[in-house]
Amino acid sequence: MNYRHAFHAGNPADVMKHAALARVLAYLGRKDTPYRVLDTHAGAGLYDLAGASAQRTLEAEDGIERVLAAPLPEPAATLLAPYLDAIRALRAEGRRLYPGSPALALALSRPQDRFLFCELNKEERAKLEKRIGADARAKILAQDGWQALSAHLPPRERRGLVLVDPPFEEPGEFQRMVAGLEAAYRRFATGIHMLWYPIKDLRAVDAFRRDVGRLGLPKTLRVELDFSTVRALDTLSGSGLIIVNPPFTLADEMRTILTALAPLISKDGTGRVRVSWLTPGG
Ligand SMILES: C[S@@+](CC[C@H](N)C(=O)[O-])C[C@H]1O[C@@H](n2cnc3c(N)ncnc32)[C@H](O)[C@@H]1O
């Protein structure tokens, strides 16, 4: 396991994923009753974009830095405000920080909400402990995220989000995603399930979408953004999310958000947004 998210934090794929995460949490937060987030592949939790890893790739320069610097049109600006305000609050003391899914989820939630973060890599987990471990709402587990889908679902709160965001550095990750989604849905059919995937190998992505569709889970939304027209098997040309049981507002919100962000965070300045239902929902 060599993957380190610090090289990629705040890149266009992170922006898309975290913008969606923020909208889902805004929706869950509309009701006072507590919810739980199970984040199966948590990473280090919080990243310093001025640090050596981020500076080596400069990926955030094409992602979050452009978004923070640009005037955004309405209504995208309002929809993105919780996410962007959380980043600005982190940066209030002048450091160029970026929240990974754990720090962002905690920043956007309430005292009654609970969180399980799985991270298998020892060093990444130690960073996660240091950065968010003091938050009593969060439990950090040295557990395989795929196993956690069986072990920790359904949550006691019976409402919440399952976020599955593996590194895609080993073969078979798409198949594990499909099997993981099926297992998680069986235990927690009312939960929101959000899965991130890279768009590199178009045939693999097509097969994945087909396999997810074949599960026949009601209300399965596909959201994709291409941020490069360069297609190569080892180059990320876009990223996608599968969201089962999305908030009823999410399809329209993501279309609005990504249409506003695409010209900013895509390499050729255009980008391509796809939001559609793999199984009926809207
Ligand atoms: C893409 S990063 C997570 C980024 C994070 N979700 C975010 O949005 O900020 C994937 C993480 O999963 C960890 N990982 C890899 N395989 C795992 C597994 N089977 N269970 C739990 N964590 C795993 C890696 O060490 C890495 O830190």
Side-chain angles (χ1 to χ4, degrees):
M1 259 200 304
N2 295 319
Y3 182 90
R4 292 287 177 280
H5 197 65
F7 291 106
H8 311 293
N11 72 6
D14 248 13
V15 169
M16 177 217 197
K17 170 181 64 189
H18 293 151
L21 172 63
R23 292 316 309 161
V24 168
L25 295 180
Y27 177 82
L28 283 169
R30 285 189 193 174
K31 268 196 200 164
D32 286 341
T33 47
Y35 61 76
R36 184 170 296 249
V37 176
L38 168 59
D39 185 346
T40 58
H41 296 73
L46 180 67
Y47 302 92
D48 181 359
L49 298 186
S53 307
Q55 284 299 304
R56 204 160 95 197
T57 61
L58 295 175
E59 288 188 21
E61 301 303 316
D62 294 339
I64 193 59
E65 298 306 337
R66 287 202 196 157
V67 176
L68 287 170
L72 295 170
E74 287 297 350
T78 298
L79 293 171
L80 283 163
Y83 166 48
L84 300 180
D85 288 350
I87 301 170
R88 291 192 179 106
L90 270 176
R91 294 182 173 194
E93 284 167 24
R95 292 181 62 199
R96 208 142 69 85
L97 299 175
Y98 183 77
S101 50
L104 183 63
L106 288 167
L108 296 178
S109 299
R110 300 93 37 98
Q112 65 267 42
D113 304 320
R114 295 291 176 268
F115 303 82
L116 285 177
F117 298 114
C118 298
E119 174 53 54
L120 267 193
N121 183 280
K122 206 170 157 202
E123 283 115 54
E124 296 297 90
R125 197 170 58 250
K127 289 179 194 153
L128 188 59
E129 287 280 2
K130 198 166 144 205
R131 290 162 188 172
I132 60 143
D135 193 317
R137 298 172 299 167
K139 245 194 212 154
I140 297 168
L141 304 173
Q143 184 173 24
D144 184 307
W146 304 113
Q147 288 173 4
L149 293 173
S150 306
H152 300 291
L153 295 179
R156 198 180 319 135
E157 296 76 8
R158 301 275 160 174
R159 63 190 297 262
L161 168 70
V162 180
L163 173 63
V164 182
D165 181 23
F168 279 87
E169 61 173 4
E170 284 168 28
E173 213 79 300
F174 277 118
Q175 288 88 335
R176 273 190 286 282
M177 294 266 272
V178 177
L181 173 59
E182 190 176 25
Y185 187 86
R186 210 180 309 126
R187 288 174 175 77
F188 188 29
T190 54
I192 301 170
H193 300 257
M194 185 158 109
L195 296 86
W196 181 89
Y197 56 94
I199 300 180
K200 285 184 182 174
D201 177 349
L202 291 188
R203 283 169 62 179
V205 173
D206 279 347
F208 170 64
R209 271 194 234 107
R210 255 195 325 273
D211 290 346
V212 170
R214 272 197 207 116
L215 293 177
L217 310 179
K219 299 189 215 155
T220 303
L221 183 69
R222 177 271 295 251
V223 177
E224 290 180 0
L225 173 65
D226 287 334
F227 29 76
S228 170
T229 48
V230 178
R231 297 256 186 234
L233 289 187
D234 57 350
T235 306
L236 195 68
S237 63
S239 70
L241 294 167
I242 293 289
I243 307 138
V244 177
N245 290 331
F248 72 97
T249 44
L250 194 72
D252 283 347
E253 289 182 357
M254 288 311 294
R255 207 174 280 117
T256 302
I257 286 173
L258 294 181
T259 302
L261 293 186
L264 292 173
I265 63 177
S266 62
K267 286 216 158 51
D268 55 7
T270 54
R272 188 157 157 234
V273 178
R274 288 180 294 272
V275 178
S276 63
W277 294 96
L278 294 187
T279 59

